[in-house]
Amino acid sequence: MAKEPFGLRWERDEKFELAERLERDYDDTLWEEAVRRYEEALNTQPDNPEYLFKLGYLRQLKGKRLLRQATAYYEAGLGSELLQGTHSWIEGKLHAQLISVRAQLDENRKSIAFYKQRLSERPDHPDAYAQLTHCYLKVDQVREAHAVVQAGLRLFPQIGTLRYYEGEALARLGRLEEALEAWERSAQLDGQLIDGRFSRAFAFEREKRLPEAIAEWTRIAEFMARYGFEEAVPQREIARLEQLLRG
């Protein structure tokens, strides 16, 4: 009998054949049937590594298809003429999610190439610097990220988003105090930009600076209340950190 790749031997039965067919020609009905068959098999043998692998792989297979569908929606949104008018407010969210989903699909190079081109076409637009910085941070090219955001800040020193990404890059370079200052500055420049507050809270806790972490979560809770968002998470974090502080 021929050996399977990497020395693996699969149980070649109907459910196995279903999974192989899905790789060649994906179909939702077929996917549901394959999952059902493997779940039934797992119920009879819960620790079978082959069944666990296949169920994980089947979900990964569908997940990647859903992520590709998500990128198509984000790309279509960025191509909408409405972004120049009534829906201009959502453009930044579309870019951020597109970068994030492409990273999950291991398409960071595609994102970097796209946003490099975008920056070359729009060097007078601060968001273009922020988006390319975001791409570089996704692949941990921190020095490149820092160089881009610094170039943006030389032109737009009062843009909160750029200050936030400056903090993210500085933190990864090991320059924590400078990062904390940049995140604080980002929140001061843009009252609706809360990201830097979260970064400060997490950083303070990592450094065991619990009173400062509590103070930051308190500011986050106040922000949530001001804009009508759910406060449960920051309040829970405040209570948890206060308990840690009491020992």
Side-chain angles (χ1 to χ4, degrees):
M1 180 184 293
K3 290 185 178 180
E4 295 289 343
F6 309 108
L8 299 175
R9 294 181 64 184
W10 302 112
E11 181 185 339
R12 290 186 176 275
D13 56 12
E14 191 172 357
K15 61 183 179 296
F16 180 89
E17 298 299 334
L18 281 171
E20 279 206 327
R21 284 173 57 194
L22 278 166
E23 290 188 61
R24 296 191 300 267
D25 187 17
Y26 183 88
D27 175 82
D28 276 328
T29 302
L30 195 65
W31 182 86
E32 290 172 3
E33 178 64 14
V35 168
R36 184 183 68 79
R37 297 286 186 93
Y38 273 103
E39 285 179 339
E40 288 175 351
L42 193 65
N43 285 336
T44 63
Q45 199 175 357
D47 62 345
N48 186 307
E50 177 189 339
Y51 300 161
L52 292 164
F53 173 86
K54 283 293 187 181
L55 281 166
Y57 181 75
L58 287 167
R59 282 169 170 76
Q60 183 182 6
L61 191 66
K62 185 166 188 175
K64 291 191 80 169
R65 290 182 65 84
L66 291 173
L67 288 171
R68 292 196 184 284
Q69 291 174 16
T71 62
Y73 284 120
Y74 294 141
E75 288 166 352
L78 288 169
S80 171
E81 293 182 0
L82 294 177
L83 281 185
Q84 309 306 315
T86 56
H87 287 69
S88 59
W89 58 273
I90 205 169
E91 182 176 3
K93 294 179 179 292
L94 285 165
H95 282 293
Q97 288 305 114
L98 180 60
I99 292 167
S100 177
V101 173
R102 280 181 175 168
Q104 293 175 66
L105 289 167
D106 296 323
E107 294 181 349
N108 292 300
R109 288 186 179 181
K110 183 176 181 179
S111 284
I112 289 172
F114 177 83
Y115 286 101
K116 271 187 175 180
Q117 180 64 29
R118 181 177 170 79
L119 178 56
S120 70
E121 294 170 352
R122 307 178 69 184
D124 58 344
H125 201 296
D127 284 350
Y129 293 89
Q131 288 149 7
L132 183 54
T133 301
H134 187 183
C135 290
Y136 278 129
L137 288 172
K138 280 291 183 184
V139 291
D140 211 31
Q141 291 183 230
V142 184
R143 296 195 181 281
E144 291 85 347
H146 185 250
V148 172
V149 78
Q150 288 302 307
L153 283 168
R154 283 193 288 273
L155 297 173
F156 310 103
Q158 302 303 310
I159 298 297
T161 306
L162 289 174
R163 289 294 175 191
Y164 164 73
Y165 279 118
E166 179 188 32
E168 295 295 300
L170 287 168
R172 295 200 201 180
L173 290 170
R175 296 158 60 177
L176 179 60
E177 291 304 321
E178 293 175 76
L180 290 167
E181 292 177 11
W183 288 325
E184 176 64 30
R185 184 66 175 144
S186 75
Q188 292 174 355
L189 288 169
D190 187 342
Q192 294 187 0
L193 181 62
I194 193 67
D195 303 59
R197 294 266 174 237
F198 283 100
S199 294
R200 280 171 61 87
F202 297 138
F204 282 135
E205 183 173 358
R206 286 194 300 271
E207 295 297 309
K208 311 299 184 186
R209 294 160 62 173
L210 299 188
E212 291 167 288
I214 291 168
E216 211 59 56
W217 279 112
T218 301
R219 295 185 184 100
I220 292 169
E222 291 169 352
F223 175 93
M224 298 295 191
R226 187 181 315 124
Y227 290 101
F229 296 118
E230 176 59 54
E231 299 174 57
V233 171
Q235 294 297 350
R236 185 172 67 240
E237 290 300 305
I238 291 168
R240 180 180 64 82
L241 292 169
E242 288 178 338
Q243 180 64 33
L244 286 175
L245 196 58
R246 288 192 293 269

